[in-house]
Amino acid sequence: IIKLNSKQCRIYRVRINDLEAAFIYNDPTLEVCHNESKQRNLNYFSNAYAAAVSAVDPDAGNGELCIKVPSELWKHVDELKVLKIHINFSLDQPKGGLHFVVPSVEGSMAERGAHVFSCGYQNSTRFWFPCVDSYSELCTWKLEFTVDAAMVAVSNGDLVETVYTHDMRKKTFHYMLTIPTAASNISLAIGPFEILVDPYMHEVTHFCLPQLLPLLKHTTSYLHEVFEFYEEILTCRYPYSCFKTVFIDEAYVEVAAYASMSIFSTNLLHSAMIIDETPLTRRCLAQSLAQQFFGCFISRMSWSDEWVLKGISGYIYGLWMKKTFGVNEYRHWIKEELDKIVAYELKTGGVLLHPMFGGGKEKDNPASHLHFSIKHPHTLSWEYYTMFQCKAHLVMRLIENRISMEFMLQVFNKLLSLASTASSQKFQSHMWSQMLVSTSGFLKSISNVSGKDIQPLIKQWVDQSGVVKFYGSFAFNRKRNVLELEIKQDYTSPGTQKYVGPLKVTVQELDGSFNHTLQIEENSLKHDIPCHSKSRRNKKKKIPLMNGEEVDMDLSAMDADSPLLWIRIDPDMSVLRKVEFEQADFMWQYQLRYERDVVAQQESILALEKFPTPASRLALTDILEQEQCFYRVRMSACFCLAKIANSMVSTWTGPPAMKSLFTRMFCCKTCPNIVKTNNFMSFQSYFLQKTMPVAMALLRDVHNLCPKEVLTFILDLIKYNDNRKNKFSDNYYRAEMIDALANSVTPAVSVNNEVRTLDNLNPDVRLILEEITRFLNMEKLLPSYRHTITVSCLRAIRVLQKNGHVPSDPALFKSYAEYGHFVDIRIAALEAVVDYTKVDRSYEELQWLLNMIQNDPVPYVRHKILNMLTKNPPFTKNMESPLCNEALVDQLWKLMNSGTSHDWRLRCGAVDLYFTLFGLSRPSCLPLPELGLVLNLKEKKAVLNPTIIPEAIAGNQEAAINPSSHAQLVGFQNPEASCNMSAHQQGVKRKADTPLGSPLEPGQILEKNEDSSKVKLKIREEIDMDTVHDSQAFISHHLNMLERPSTPGKEQSPLEMSMHPVATAPLSVFTKESASSKHSDHHHHHHHEHKKKKKKHKHKHKHKHKHDSKEKDKEPFTFSSPASGRSIRSPSLSD
Amino acid sequence: MADTAATAGAGGSGTRSGSKQSTNPADNYHLARRRTLQVVVSSLLTEAGFESAEKASVETLTEMLQSYISEIGRSAKSYCEHTARTQPTLSDIVVTLVEMGFNVDTLPAYAKRSQRMVITAPPVTNQPVTPKALTAGQNRPHPPHIPSHFPEFPDPHTYIKTPTYREPVSDYQVLREKAASQRRDVERALTRFMAKTGETQSLFKDDVSTFPLIAARPFTIPYLTALLPSELEMQQMEETDSSEQDEQTDTENLPLHISTPVVMSGGEMDVSWSRRSCRAEMRI
């Protein structure tokens, strides 16, 4: 038996070495829990889902498609000869994996800018062609795509040639990828692309949609520098012979890296006038390029090694950031990432980088605190995965701290050079395992290269989840001239762990800055640190700082008895930690003013929020004015200053905070109320200029209203804004001005709940509303880049609604959320609707959102809605809410159970939402759970059922080949005889069991068949892969299946079929299509093309599998015993 | 008979002009001229012995006559201008006729033919009033060395330089203020107009006019409008590019090179602003 991954594809026939082979198609992830009616327990679902995913996990040797090797070929298998598998299949209206963008305008597909691209979360290649969808199964590829002559197909590897078909209407693109690559790293994009050969590097080609070429030119003009940087630090050439970037619309993720090609969102493109997007886009480019080395070229051995790849690519990307944007930006980024991961782990309880599943029982499941399984990438919450990547690169940085960057780069170089040697070894696939990285292999090369033992570090951060939480405080002992530092840890709350080991503390004294390394041990809380300086206030001596600089300080604020200026714990962020440190306000102020590290400045700004004093105010203002200070620090100082001003409101003197500062910096000398005409040449001041008004708008007077003066000020800024002499666009600036207006809004004083009308509108609000109206309307006439202004206006309107100035009404947002608006606008509008749903508890809107989750054409938007609902849920599990009812539970359950089987990310998003709304156990709004128990029992029984009774009803059709072949629900089918039946994956199981034989809908037979036959592209595979799959895994999988409560199967009644409109839908669509419009024709073309390609791919895969199959086949008997008559095995038994 | 045709023609044009009551004097003049020509044609036809003529043929003949006469006039004017005169003389006409292949010698005989009909001069209808060009001040008489047939001097304001003693408004604040409110007014008027003429959305259920929002329309290709810079921006960019040649990626502060000379920038402002607003309007 050979197992392949395949989803959505309709498979017509499988041939192995030209012999027809029987196959079964069973995808347990289509519907995770079968008719367990009222259970609705998330715990149960997650287990079932994890089981379903492992049942098809290619790393464990499983797959949705089981092909039986004909007995004639067993000899081949025994002789370890190559088997060639040939699969005819088609893919019709795929719901995931491939995304079609077809604008509904006049014109041919090419004129309309229609395009298609592959997408997905982790290994999702199985959605568009049958393959071993694993990162660890490498082979070389030959890809052929036949597309409309106006289209360009972009795929992995080198474009060998482009051939017109006989009628000259189509072109076939031949791609050849000689570097062994996993199927999961194969991608495709087809569209009427404009093509740009990189002027600096001719092996790099960029593709974008029509009309965007100028933007593409500008956007990619920087890429070669990234290339140079990586090649230099890795001392290794870019491994592939070419690189392609494709910018497409409706992207699944902003950046997706595949072998020798990256797919980006078209929204990353920008012109030279745009400031804000430029660094973001460059970061995306650099990120994708880092993943080309680690992720695409070097692939992972198994899921638990993912962290190494994410870590290395994230780490070298960080190095690039440091070089490009400077150390400040880099440290700031590290701090940001650290804060993020710390916050996430403390909230949800731990991110585990290297999950080990050593046959453990449920109870020592490392992720028991989570509502999903971390055994598989496909069961992972998207947010968790994001955090996982973030932690991975931080840990990589910790390793660097330990072994030095030089060694680190040597290790990377070693990995790369081994891999590239291996990749050039044609026909020696056993060598190719060098191209896979595993945790142990990585650690081994670290110890080889550096000779250092980093095991403790790995154990702490990689094998264990959680972060460290320190609480620090100190006292100065004057007699002994000693600093008594007390450091406590919290390692009991979720998401924390205990830290034992060295910890660096930096003490800034009068005589200089001193580093101390403390040893954190089990029970020692107190640490004595001798001070170097006397507390005497020396006669005006300069004070040396950490970086060697000597500065004059006004020391009057400090404690006369102590020489301590400030203390920092773990200044280098060499522990994944959160530090809460107590020191006096003046110490924070000194730290802010004189410590040169941006992280320290940031920390002190945060701390100063708690000390609303004139001294803090002064320190912050000084920082704001200081040109040399890092702009992000100055930006956060703005917000801190606003908070402090609000706390000091009763004693505040002078004009509102920052006003005079802003006037001085950005307004005309002669008329201080008028802002200078824009000139954004200095980016630092641009960012500051953008931010200050936003922060100022947060000021409140004694009545908790935004001071009139501030509002007028902002309105004037808007009024006098003049961008004519500026070479940059001011769209982000104007958008922030609207944000500022929104920030100034305070809750309306409502007199006995009157209805909001125009007449009782607050005059200030009227002014604000006028601006918003004008901006929003102007956007229609002169749209801004990425519609930033519309986005801000929508947010501002929601703020006005929420504060009761304007009647709360989602209609406006709903119209902006429709498909056809720019995605940023849609997201902003949806966010408002989500918020409305929560505040007004509107069932109708919730339904509207859910409907959109199911039907929106853009996967990203669907994902995002779920995400926003999870972040801002209409209710949570402990809350009474009229929205929480049985129908909703059912609806969501259905969504995650079967409605989202075409998109892993979406399904996990639905699980997250379900968790947020109802928690892990049975939703409280359901009738009490006695019933559930009963069901449980039933379920157990049910589980047994299928095993015992292997569907007696087997398909009559199949009888021809293999009478006994019916596994649970699945029928082996003779492809020729009954190819209709096998066609639809979704339908398959059911069909087999159902009264059968009844071919599916009539429309089904389709052109595709012909197509496929035409398409016979011979792929020769140059590889024979050794199977990585071991039989053990195979067995255990079967065992798993036994345990799995939800084995698909049981009683498939005809009813079920009708219950799954999803499954059948594509078919009907198809029928319609052929009948109808031209549009559909185009679709067909695409489809066809794809199909063809796929076929080719398949062939290749097949080769690999042959080997696998051999091994497996030998085992049949072994299996059968443990599996005790498991249906799947039955074919082999019979044989 | 000719009369009938003529009156019919006249009647026809009469009703026509009636229907176009609103037309201006110039049109009336043309109609009157045409009517006269029709009378002429009709009488010539009568003279030639026709008893009646179809309206269409009368029209055609009128048209031909008119073009012929116009052509004579046009060429005569050319000839006279050729000889640097402003008034055509008899010889100009003669040359013209000769040039057009007309035998001038036959003309006196024809003019004196016995059976010719005499047509009364058309009533002098209101002359087309050439709208008087805006005059300001007295036109200067020709100095003695310029022959009097030369055209008059244009209005003095078109060439005379008047030194002003009042400073142009160069106060920066006022200019900025003006520019800002001008733009704001244009934008508001424009958006209001768009809102009035198109579909709108409103934030208040009871009032749709105070804050009209132009209704959101989905685009078929949303990313194009979102990403491509507008023409306006492109144009601006060219302008700024030519004026400043700084490197775009320069992150360093260029120390306050923002504070451009106040007055100067004020001066340009009005000009370029009006261009911008025109553009904005044209786009619609």
Side-chain angles (χ1 to χ4, degrees), chain B residues 4-204:
Chain B
T4 44
T7 40
S13 57
T15 45
R16 220 177 306 142
S17 68
S19 67
K20 289 189 198 164
Q21 211 53 274
S22 59
T23 50
N24 58 27
D27 279 346
N28 282 338
Y29 177 75
H30 291 303
L31 288 174
R33 190 179 65 193
R34 207 172 162 82
R35 207 179 312 148
T36 312
L37 284 177
Q38 265 172 344
V39 174
V40 172
V41 167
S42 309
S43 62
L44 285 176
L45 288 176
T46 320
E47 202 178 306
F50 288 98
E51 302 204 328
S52 68
E54 268 179 41
K55 194 173 164 200
S57 43
V58 174
E59 285 287 331
T60 311
L61 288 170
T62 311
E63 196 63 39
M64 289 167 65
L65 183 58
Q66 178 169 327
S67 347
Y68 192 79
I69 294 175
S70 307
E71 180 56 22
I72 293 175
R74 198 192 56 75
S75 323
K77 181 160 177 277
S78 308
Y79 281 115
C80 97
E81 282 173 355
H82 185 62
T83 42
R85 279 174 283 112
T86 54
Q87 299 278 338
T89 58
L90 181 61
S91 55
D92 289 330
I93 307 286
V94 173
V95 175
T96 303
L97 289 176
V98 171
E99 182 68 10
M100 288 171 75
F102 184 80
N103 188 349
V104 188
D105 298 338
T106 59
L107 195 57
Y110 181 73
K112 289 180 190 138
R113 72 194 184 283
S114 53
Q115 71 278 48
R116 68 174 204 270
M117 291 182 135
V118 178
I119 299 162
T120 52
V124 181
T125 49
N126 36 351
Q127 277 284 336
V129 202
T130 28
K132 235 178 138 195
L134 183 69
T135 53
Q138 203 68 43
N139 285 6
R140 277 212 297 177
H142 284 163
H145 58 275
I146 297 179
S148 58
H149 61 267
F150 272 38
E152 287 187 344
F153 275 115
D155 285 348
H157 76 270
T158 58
Y159 60 93
I160 275 181
K161 180 175 151 207
T162 325
T164 55
Y165 300 101
R166 206 165 52 100
E167 278 290 310
V169 197
S170 62
D171 181 25
Y172 185 64
Q173 182 169 353
V174 176
L175 283 172
R176 286 293 298 273
E177 173 77 48
K178 216 168 148 192
S181 37
Q182 207 173 18
R183 178 181 49 195
R184 170 169 303 224
D185 291 346
V186 171
E187 286 184 4
R188 187 174 314 162
L190 192 62
T191 52
R192 291 238 156 199
F193 172 73
M194 293 305 291
K196 281 230 170 83
T197 48
E199 229 177 293
T200 55
Q201 288 164 321
S202 172
L203 297 173
F204 296 90

Side-chain angles (χ1 to χ4, degrees), chain A residues 254-274:
Chain A
E254 280 199 318
V255 188
Y258 301 96
S260 82
M261 133 177 205
S262 292
I263 298 182
F264 297 95
S265 159
T266 195
N267 303 334
L268 292 175
L269 295 174
H270 58 84
S271 70
M273 281 182 300
I274 306 300

Side-chain angles (χ1 to χ4, degrees), chain A residues 768-782:
Chain A
I768 295 176
L769 211 47
E770 227 155 71
E771 293 301 332
I772 293 176
T773 313
R774 196 167 51 81
F775 270 123
L776 196 54
N777 286 340
M778 276 310 284
E779 273 279 280
K780 300 286 186 327
L781 309 175
L782 291 174

Side-chain angles (χ1 to χ4, degrees), chain A residues 10 90-94 100 102 109 146-148 170 190 1003 1006-1008 1011 1066-1095:
Chain A
R10 180 180 303 176
S90 70
L91 186 60
D92 190 15
Q93 302 271 323
F100 288 86
V102 187
M109 276 294 164
T146 304
V147 302
D148 195 280
K170 291 187 180 172
I190 299 173
L1006 331 169
E1007 294 87 312
K1008 269 96 209 252
D1011 246 330
L1067 296 179
S1068 42
V1069 176
F1070 185 82
T1071 348
K1072 257 186 260 154
E1073 244 187 29
S1074 36
S1076 65
S1077 64
K1078 305 148 204 168
H1079 303 255
S1080 44
D1081 283 338
H1082 290 289
H1083 280 291
H1084 288 300
H1085 288 298
H1086 290 291
H1087 293 298
H1088 298 300
E1089 290 142 26
H1090 298 299
K1091 291 156 209 166
K1092 297 164 195 177
K1093 299 151 202 172
K1094 290 153 208 169
K1095 292 156 202 169

